Amino acid sequence: MLGPGGRVRREPMAESVGAGPASVRGIYEALDYGPAREGVGPAQAWLDAHGRSLGHFIDGKWSKPEGRETWVCKSPATGESLATTLQGQQEDVEAAVQAATKAFENWSQLPCHARARHLYNLTRMIQKHQNTFTVLESLDTGKPVTEARVCDMPLIVRHCYHHAGWAQLMGVEMRGWEPLGVVSAIIPSGSPLVLLAWKVCPALAMGNTVVALVPPTAQLSALLLAELCDQAGLPSGILNVITGAEALAGILATHPAVDAVAFAGSAELGRSLRQVTAGLGKRLSLQLGGRTPVLIFESADLDSAATGLTETLSSHQGLLLGGGAPLVLVQEAVAGALVQRLKARLGALRVGEALDRTTDVGGLVDEVWRAALQAHVDEAEAEGAEVFQAWAALPAQGSYYPPTLIIGADTTSRCIREEVFGPVLVVLPFRTTKEAIALANSTPYGLAASVWTEKLPLAMEVACSLQVGTVWINGQRMYDAAASFGGCKESGFGCNGGKEGLYEYMRPSWESRIHSRATDMNYKTFAASSSAAPFPVPGQAKDPPSGPTQEAHRPSVDRTYKLYYGGAQKRPEGLSSRPILDSTGHLMAYIADGSAKDIRNAVEAAHKAAPWWRGRSAHARAQVLFYVAENLGLRQMELTAELAALMGVTPEQAAQEVELSLERLFHWAASCDKHGGALQDTPLYGTNLLLREPLGVLGIVCPDENPLLSFISLWAPAVVWGNAVIIIPSQRYPLPALGLCQVLDTSDLPGGVLNVLTGDRDHLARTLALHQDVQALWYFGSQQGSQLMEWASAGNLKRTWVNCGARRHWEDPAQGAGEEFLSQATYCKSIWVPMGDVFAS
């Protein structure tokens, strides 16, 4: 039968003749669920104890400043008013940050075992109040109470226990690292308590303190968590929760005393935070969601796949852990069979009050999402897609949306390109495996994906080919505190879980806390054009070479330094040059003055080389780097003389830098096949694989200090981990790097893997930062340049690593070859491989 707009709809099951639904016979014949409403007593008692009027929780106590606007927390399912909270202002942010700053002085100095005990006590306190948390989360967000109890709360408790263990082991496992300071955790709607636990637990375990900003539509459980910290005996001020509108996010993130920003939410706000924090020296991690491609092959168990997809719909009230609603890519041979199964399951879903334990799909966390969902569905239908909706399952009142299936949408449709939050599945057929991988990777997002097939080699090959942070094989929505979870591309950067997630809240011990002030600069004009190349004045001509074999009437042959990209020497598109002076001010050489067009050419060359290079084994990449070192050793004396003349240092100092450069090449070549990944133990029955994946095309801007050593120290780890690189050497001393290009020609390094461009450093760097097809950027230059790089990177949310003008001692192995290079050159990919054919989980 047709529903609104002519869409297919499911009618309710007809009642038995002569038997009402309330009779025993009627219930037996219908086999329908009866109501099983969860009791709300503990949650209501907590709200009543606070007069249903809640403030901020700052410095271990409730704070209710005068003159604040209030927000009425309502249940999305019923519209019932639950409590009022405050709409925070800048003064509240200031109070919370001051409390966290004061608490950090003592919390960071506590012995590891003391912090571990505190977190253990907090975990036990959470366990004692699990039912209250479950009901509050369900009331406040519309999440089905069964999901909150079965999925969310065990995951939160697991995170607390796991990171209490890391607090105990920090002194041993994280030696050489120290806490950042005050961490701001900015949490979205949807699954606020889980996301808050993901941010708070590792931050506190590593000795940081936290100021959390929770959204108006989901605040109650976060406030309860903060209050339980005090009741569990944790020091005041280590966790502070403020409530308020999205506008407070920028105020909190840019506060001078905040050292790190951990954000989960929309890409729009993520871009805004990237720009407002540019140049401030803050650690920023972004979890921004995205479409979750689900690849179902003809070798899959279709019933299991359909059941797994249907179960994901219960979580889509708004922003959540695994991104938006799944994009289902199914092989053509089984597409029809899968669609039939999905229609049957969607039609049988129970949509209703979140507190009913038999409910499959609850209400949307925000009424705005319903209008957005309807717009996506209407547009897809107008473009010719088939739309199936289970309208009969929809309650008459409340913020609900019917379980929906969109079939046959065009690949350019908004419902495929954009994130969709709600109980909506979009099905798109494919023919070959390569086509499926291409469709899954064509999205700008890269958070998570799942692969369904009974063929393990196919599953693993596809999982390794997908550009996402997490891949579930024959399963959905598997998370654990010991397993890394994070995204790539426009799904953000940084990860949660495992040891890898701890580095988001720590800095190397040698690195001082950076509290930079953003300069007042015009982003549209700063470095927008190349500065004019200085022209040597008369009297600065290059001294003619001397020697007994040089005839007076026969001049030396000019040595031309060109750009190097695509494996060949190239003249600059602008056909201009820049002079390089030696330490005495005399002209030493001319170099190519690159332009934005040269950057674009180099990026194209890098993208051509990247897939083949990342596909080579770690051993093969290491051998290439060893060969570069071998050929560099043959030119050791020449490079030493050039460095000494260029920089005005002694021959001994120049020789030491060349020797350290050789040693650095050996270090990264040796490291290449030593950090490929790990096998992580989790409570779930199966295997979790952690892989280190290259970022893609990476731009690097080198400093002037140690021009050869810093040049090699930066590109070697990036290349050896499988990235293709565009590198801008020292602007003042580029000659050693350009001389190395001839070494690369004889070292079997494929063309396009390493591309060297010279010219105005900040102008070229600006082009790299704005380029939409560059995945990451490292910048070691001025404070203003660092600020520009972070601001400009917001376009495609590329990862940045900048020095904010601080000098690094490249000769120190901790600073020039430390562990942070690995984390900056790669992202973590978790692959979940479940088991259970032989033994039950």
Side-chain angles (χ1 to χ4, degrees), residues 198-273:
W198 277 17
K199 309 299 182 186
V200 168
C201 290
L204 294 182
M206 294 298 102
N208 302 279
T209 54
V210 178
V211 177
L213 173 64
V214 291
T217 51
Q219 300 175 336
L220 302 182
S221 54
L223 291 169
L224 173 58
L225 177 63
E227 186 179 46
L228 288 186
C229 285
D230 180 64
Q231 293 184 14
L234 275 68
S236 299
I238 67 165
L239 175 59
N240 308 273
V241 175
I242 53 178
T243 58
E246 192 176 90
L248 282 182
I251 297 173
L252 176 58
T254 56
H255 194 286
V258 168
D259 300 276
V261 180
F263 171 72
S266 67
E268 291 76 17
L269 186 52
R271 286 189 174 90
S272 175
L273 289 174

Side-chain angles (χ1 to χ4, degrees), residues 20 129 134 406 529 531 568 600 617:
H129 295 84
T134 298
I406 301 176
S529 59
S531 61
R600 291 193 288 271
S617 68

